[in-house]
Amino acid sequence: MKKVITYGTYDMLHKGHIRLLERARALGDYLIVGVTSDTFDRARGKINVKQSLQERMEAIKATGLADEVIVEEYEGQKIDDIRRYDIDIFTVGSDWRGKFDYLKEYCEVCYLERTKGISSSELRTEERKIRIGLIGDLASEINKFVNESKYVNGAEVVGIYNPLGTGKIDTIQEFKDFDVLLSTVDALYIAMNSFSSYRFIKSALKCKKHVLVESPITMEYCKIEELFQLAKDNKCILMESIKTAYSLAFSRLILLVKSGMIGDVISIDSTCTSLRKNKKDKRGSLQSWGPYGLLSIFSFLGTNYIKKEIYTKLDCEGHDIFTKINFYFDGAVASMKVADGIKSEGELIISGSKGYVYVPAPWWKTDYFEIRQEHIEDNKRYFYQLEGEGIRYMIVCFLKAIKTGRGDFYISKDISKEVSKIMDDFCGKKNVVYL
Ligand code: C2G
């Protein structure tokens, strides 16, 4: 019996895939199809896959062309599989010609002519694009968003409206009128001082436009509930932009800790600092870094802390250049240091009853962390590909949220509300000690 194997993502199964499978099957008597896992696809840069692994495997099985369907999960697995399944022929489309010649050491390698004129990414892009308008003057965030959106099938940046009139972006159209921009888009990305974004969020939601907004959503706690309700009433997405929340590494870290890998979480120490790069950015430490620090605490301990103490140092203009918040939870403590003008080690340490998590600086661009135990030989290291600081994954999640109607999968509403409450307490000088 001649055994054949082939691999692929097989997203949105189409005639090009079917033709490949038919010809692969004709090469032998038994065909195994390896479907790539979500994690492996992301690791190799395929971030736009629409269907789940389960859906893609089911679709292959439904063709009746595969005798066996397996999951491809890691780099180099093909060699393992060829030996494990005693494969005679490896085959793949001609777009990969040459890339798998190294497999000739183990079996015959056959590249089959790729079917022209169809691809999963074209099918994904043909789906109605989401037209996105940009609002704000946080140039760094906006430029990164524009660059990262190019990697996301189905996202189209239409233009920018900057209420302050500064910071043109050559590559995209500038709108002088907010309402005109609003009328030409499906969604907005808002990157501005959170004291100013409320009216833009409200207008957008009232016009049934989806909103992705740099955190905090609002600095006034009384408004956050109103905005979420407005989003619900208008069947829109209001999603918070804390890019770390959408990185694979951080979401896996949460699962590992919650599954008990380090036992009970007793303490969390989170630091995010920068020396002021952008003098025009007057948000201060808590507004610009606080959401990251608070995300790293609330993701593991929840938001039901018993009390908090806020320590802050202001500059001569009254902006906080350093803020530390200590939290006391039932059975745990947490400390967050954020600074825009003071430098420290930007690491995240989560201490537990069986071990601890160490995420090296800059932890908020999480692509690597360690779970350390008492004996160094028991330590485990985790690495997850992170492209572009994770912003492209956030945009993919935003588009998926718009399609599924669920925007709080990565950042719960409780966390969004508590972030705003802490901003409100800080601005209201509640429990704040000035250094
Ligand atoms: N294919 C084809 N014609 C197309 C599109 C795809 O023949 N118009 C082939 C590809 O060459 C591949 C298979 O169909 O052999 C699956 O294609 P994808 O789902 O795009 O997956 P890809 O990432 O190309 O898979 O490690 C090998 C890769 O996983 C190959």
Side-chain angles (χ1 to χ4, degrees), residues 6-11 14-21 23 34 36 40-41 44 46 72 78 90-96 100 112-120:
T6 188
Y7 296 82
T9 303
Y10 290 102
D11 191 31
H14 54 67
K15 68 179 181 194
H17 294 144
I18 301 292
R19 286 193 67 243
L20 186 288
L21 294 174
R23 287 172 293 156
T36 41
F40 186 42
D41 264 330
R44 65 192 190 119
K46 291 187 87 167
E72 184 184 29
K78 294 179 175 72
F90 163 85
T91 187
V92 74
S94 56
D95 45 320
W96 293 88
F100 297 106
L112 297 169
E113 202 48 44
R114 177 189 174 88
T115 303
K116 291 184 174 50
I118 189 163
S119 72
S120 306

Side-chain angles (χ1 to χ4, degrees), residues 368-384:
Y368 169 78
F369 58 86
E370 295 181 19
I371 293 188
R372 297 176 174 174
Q373 315 285 348
E374 182 63 28
H375 305 295
I376 194 163
E377 62 272 17
D378 297 332
N379 289 359
K380 287 189 171 60
R381 294 171 177 79
Y382 297 82
F383 173 78
Y384 297 92

Side-chain angles (χ1 to χ4, degrees), residues 248-359:
L248 188 56
F250 191 75
S251 45
R252 289 294 164 84
L253 174 58
I254 294 171
L255 298 180
L256 287 166
V257 170
K258 287 194 180 282
S259 66
M261 282 285 275
I262 59 169
D264 299 328
V265 175
I266 305 299
S267 170
I268 297 179
D269 296 283
S270 174
T271 303
C272 307
T273 69
S274 55
L275 287 177
R276 264 192 189 154
K277 297 180 288 297
N278 177 358
K279 301 284 182 245
K280 287 187 286 185
D281 184 350
K282 302 292 186 191
R283 289 178 292 166
S285 308
L286 190 60
Q287 188 187 151
S288 51
W289 282 119
Y292 290 89
L294 295 171
L295 176 77
S296 67
I297 292 170
F298 295 153
S299 296
F300 301 98
L301 291 174
T303 56
N304 294 324
Y305 54 88
I306 296 164
K307 71 173 183 175
K308 67 176 178 290
E309 297 149 352
I310 303 178
Y311 301 88
T312 192
K313 181 169 186 57
L314 307 182
D315 67 6
C316 53
E317 296 173 347
H319 300 110
D320 64 309
I321 57 172
F322 173 86
T323 297
K324 177 173 182 175
I325 303 182
N326 293 331
F327 292 94
Y328 167 43
F329 290 83
D330 180 16
V333 288
S335 170
M336 173 191 84
K337 286 198 294 285
V338 290
D340 186 15
I342 303 284
K343 206 59 198 146
S344 183
E345 185 65 20
E347 61 191 13
L348 171 60
I349 297 176
I350 306 173
S351 310
S353 57
K354 292 183 190 164
Y356 70 96
V357 171
Y358 176 70
V359 190

Side-chain angles (χ1 to χ4, degrees), residues 18 39 85 126 146 166 184 228 432:
I18 301 292
T39 309
Y85 295 103
E126 276 163 23
V146 171
T166 56
T184 55
F228 277 125
V432 179

